[in-house]
Amino acid sequence: SPTAILALLTGLNLLNYIDRMTVAAVLKRMLEPADIGGLGLSNFQGGLLATAFLGGYFVTAPGFGARAGRGTGKTLIALGVAVWSAATFATGLAHTYTELLAARVVVGVGEASFAALAPTIIDDLTPPERKARALAIFYLAIPVGSALGYLVGGFIEAHWGWRYAFYVTGVPGIVLALACLAIDEPQRQLRAATGSIRDGLRTIARLVQFRRGTLGYCAYTGAIGAFSYWAPKYLADTYPH
C-alpha cells in the first residue's frame, strides 16, 4: 500500500530528527564532569559531535544518491536505518570521546542512506497530482521530529540520565528497519535517463537564481543548525530553574 509505505518512511524520518536533536537536548549533561555523570567535554568537543555527524552524512550521501536508480533502495534504507539506530544506541554506551565521535560519524552515514533514497521511493509511488502532498507529509517530520527530540531527550535525561535518551531513541529504528524490507519497491521511472554529473553541474551552475538560492540556503541552514544545537544549553545555563 502506498499509504502504508508513506507512513513507514515518514515515521522513520520523524525518528531521524528526534535522534538529531537528542544530542542537543542532553549536551549540557554530556559536558559536565565525569564524577557527576557527564563526560567532561569542552564546548569545542561538544560542538565537534555535530560536525562529525555532518561529515559522515555529507561524504556518503552522494554515493547513496547514485544508487537510487538501481532498484536497491529498500535494502539500503533498511541497512541505513539499522546502522544509524545501532550507532545511536552506541552513543549512550560511549565512555571516551573517541567512541562518542565515532558513533556520531556512523549515525551520519546511516541517516545519509535514508535521506537520499526514501524520497525517491515516495516519488515513484505517488501519481503526479499527489506528489507535492506526499512529500509535504514526509518532510513535515523535520520540524515535528526536531521538537520531539528536545522534549523526549530532555524528559528522559531528567529522569534516567543522558545515556538512556540514546537507548530509547535507538531501539525503535532497529525494529522499523526490518519493516523496510517489506516495501514493494517500484521500478524507477527515470532509470532510462542518462547524463554526466559534470554536465549537469555545469548546467545548473549557469543558473544565477540557482546559485543564489543554494548559497542563501546554505547560510540559512548553517545559522539555524548552530542555533538549534546550542540554544538548549544556553537556555539551561541562563535559566537553571
Side-chain angles (χ1 to χ4, degrees):
S1 167
T3 302
I5 294 173
L6 176 60
L8 171 62
L9 296 179
T10 300
L12 284 168
N13 204 27
L14 188 77
L15 193 63
N16 179 355
Y17 280 86
I18 289 175
D19 169 70
R20 291 194 193 191
M21 292 300 106
T22 296
V23 178
V26 304
L27 183 61
K28 177 176 169 58
R29 293 297 182 189
M30 296 170 72
L31 267 57
E32 290 180 344
D35 58 355
I36 58 173
L39 290 175
L41 306 181
S42 65
N43 283 336
F44 175 78
Q45 289 175 316
L48 198 59
L49 295 177
T51 306
F53 164 81
L54 291 174
Y57 189 100
F58 289 136
V59 169
T60 57
F64 290 122
R67 302 285 301 179
R70 302 181 186 179
T72 57
K74 71 176 182 181
T75 304
L76 286 175
I77 287 174
L79 180 62
V81 172
V83 166
W84 111 47
S85 300
T88 297
F89 194 91
T91 302
L93 295 174
H95 287 280
T96 68
Y97 183 64
T98 301
E99 294 171 351
L100 192 62
L101 207 62
R104 299 316 295 173
V105 171
V106 177
V107 170
V109 174
E111 290 193 11
S113 173
F114 174 79
L117 296 167
T120 68
I121 292 180
I122 295 173
D123 182 64
D124 286 337
L125 282 171
T126 311
E129 67 275 11
R130 298 181 184 173
K131 288 186 189 296
R133 179 183 178 185
L135 290 172
I137 292 172
F138 176 75
Y139 287 116
L140 182 62
I142 295 178
V144 176
S146 298
L148 286 175
Y150 292 134
L151 295 172
V152 173
F155 178 83
I156 295 173
E157 184 277 322
H159 288 79
W160 298 286
W162 67 267
R163 295 184 184 276
Y164 282 88
F166 295 104
Y167 300 155
V168 171
T169 56
V171 171
I174 297 175
V175 176
L176 290 176
L178 298 176
C180 291
L181 297 175
I183 293 175
D184 184 12
E185 189 173 359
Q187 185 176 5
R188 289 292 291 144
Q189 298 175 4
L190 301 178
R191 186 169 297 180
T194 59
S196 164
I197 293 178
R198 182 178 298 176
D199 290 342
L201 290 174
R202 283 178 182 156
T203 299
I204 60 177
R206 287 195 293 265
L207 303 175
V208 176
Q209 294 302 325
F210 178 84
R211 294 201 306 269
R212 292 175 179 172
T214 300
L215 292 173
Y217 197 67
C218 285
Y220 165 82
T221 302
I224 200 68
F227 176 82
S228 63
Y229 190 75
W230 286 107
K233 181 181 183 300
Y234 169 78
L235 291 173
D237 289 341
T238 306
Y239 307 102
H241 302 295

